[in-house]
Amino acid sequence: MKTGNFALLALACIAAAAYGAILAQDPPPSSPVDGPAQAFSAGRAALDVAAIAERPHPIGSADHKRVQHYIVERLRSLGMQPELQETTAVFARDALAGRVTNILARLKGTANTKAVLLAAHYDSVPSGPGAGDNASGVAVLLETLRALRAGPPLANDVIFLFTDGEEVGLLGAAAFTAEHPWARDVGLVLNFDARGNSGPALMFETTPGNGRLIELLRANVAHPRASSLTYAVYQRMPNDTDLTVFRSAGLAGLNFAFIGIIEAYHTRLDTPANLSAATLEQQ
């Protein structure tokens, strides 16, 4: 074996071992439905996952409209006034276009500062009900909103963005960054997605100039899971998330996902019953 080939093989083995070690870190226990009002509860979030991921809900389907209606009504039940962004979106990089309906809500802060954008897509693929990808992300946003409203007001506005058409080409994120006036107010994006249904929730991608963001993550998240190795692997995969669009628009952000039991990804196995409650809690 040539020296160069041996070095590449050794590097690949080290990377695989390190990646396996990351995945072996179990998430913390989940919280019950009757957990404290100001705290996130996977038990409560799981109710939203179950409602959203009853069936596949790809863009353009009847179940897609059902999920859209469910999110709007949940936002209203949480005391918000949801807004629909209905438009024809264009993702120029991949020469894709389509009609989308983004769902937005804005929790006002006490200061006139930049907003924090929490984002998750609500469409699924036709081949699976999408409990992990991405009913989990939608549920994370809804339960976070509920918990925040139960606590004291924040300084920053928090924008909750439920993007449409992610699975067919990041169309909802493209529409938001290109057309919505709130995009100009965003100082930080936290995007939530999944490629499986269990395992630790990983912060696997950041935007340039991320030193301060990493320090904030380390200092403020109870069980952070992050490694530069995850982004090195992600770069070599044929996948994108909405943060690809946010990043191209110049927004700073962090990307979170879990990838345990990848056999569930985009399949009929991606059900609420198969989604780890502990993973949902950490996400």
Side-chain angles (χ1 to χ4, degrees):
M1 181 180 290
K2 293 181 180 179
T3 302
N5 290 340
F6 180 80
L8 288 174
L9 178 60
L11 182 61
C13 290
I14 293 170
Y19 202 53
I22 293 170
L23 295 182
Q25 302 177 54
D26 292 331
S30 60
S31 300
V33 174
D34 59 353
Q38 295 185 27
F40 185 96
S41 162
R44 287 187 287 254
L47 300 176
D48 289 320
V49 172
I52 292 166
E54 288 182 3
R55 294 175 295 276
H57 42 281
I59 189 170
S61 68
D63 271 288
H64 178 263
K65 293 294 291 185
R66 173 187 63 83
V67 171
Q68 182 187 115
H69 177 74
Y70 177 85
I71 296 170
V72 168
E73 291 306 309
R74 282 286 287 122
L75 289 170
R76 287 175 177 157
S77 74
L78 293 170
M80 304 299 287
Q81 296 180 325
E83 175 183 316
L84 299 182
Q85 182 193 11
E86 299 177 293
T87 186
T88 298
V90 177
F91 184 38
R93 190 198 70 179
D94 293 349
L96 296 170
R99 292 292 296 179
V100 296
T101 302
N102 289 334
I103 307 169
L104 303 99
R106 187 162 183 160
L107 184 63
K108 296 294 292 183
T110 59
N112 185 22
T113 55
K114 285 288 187 178
V116 175
L117 175 70
L118 304 186
H121 72 89
Y122 71 90
D123 59 312
S124 79
V125 293
S127 54
D133 184 22
N134 191 31
S136 66
V138 173
V140 163
L141 265 61
L142 290 172
E143 172 61 6
T144 297
L145 171 59
R146 186 212 56 75
L148 290 177
R149 284 187 60 81
L154 303 175
N156 299 80
D157 287 9
V158 182
I159 298 171
F160 295 81
L161 171 62
F162 305 86
T163 63
D164 194 8
E166 191 268 357
E167 296 289 4
V168 296
L170 315 180
L171 295 179
F176 175 76
T177 55
E179 300 179 19
H180 203 283
W182 289 357
R184 296 190 294 269
D185 301 336
V186 175
L188 175 67
V189 180
L190 304 180
N191 186 63
F192 299 89
D193 213 326
R195 188 181 167 86
N197 63 14
S198 66
L202 307 171
M203 195 290 291
F204 69 96
E205 180 188 14
T206 69
T207 50
N210 57 32
R212 179 61 175 152
L213 296 181
I214 298 300
E215 282 300 314
L216 288 169
L217 179 74
R218 182 191 62 79
N220 293 282
V221 176
H223 303 280
R225 298 288 186 270
S227 169
S228 57
L229 177 62
T230 57
Y231 184 59
V233 174
Y234 174 62
Q235 285 180 301
R236 287 155 179 79
M237 296 170 64
N239 296 91
D240 286 303
T241 70
D242 282 339
L243 193 73
T244 301
V245 175
F246 299 137
R247 181 185 185 124
S248 296
L251 300 178
L254 301 174
N255 214 357
F256 299 85
F258 47 89
I259 59 174
I261 310 185
I262 199 170
E263 302 94 304
Y265 178 60
H266 285 183
T267 74
R268 60 185 178 84
L269 299 176
D270 194 10
T271 64
N274 288 337
L275 180 65
S276 164
T279 294
L280 183 61
E281 178 86 15
Q282 189 179 31
Q283 179 84 319

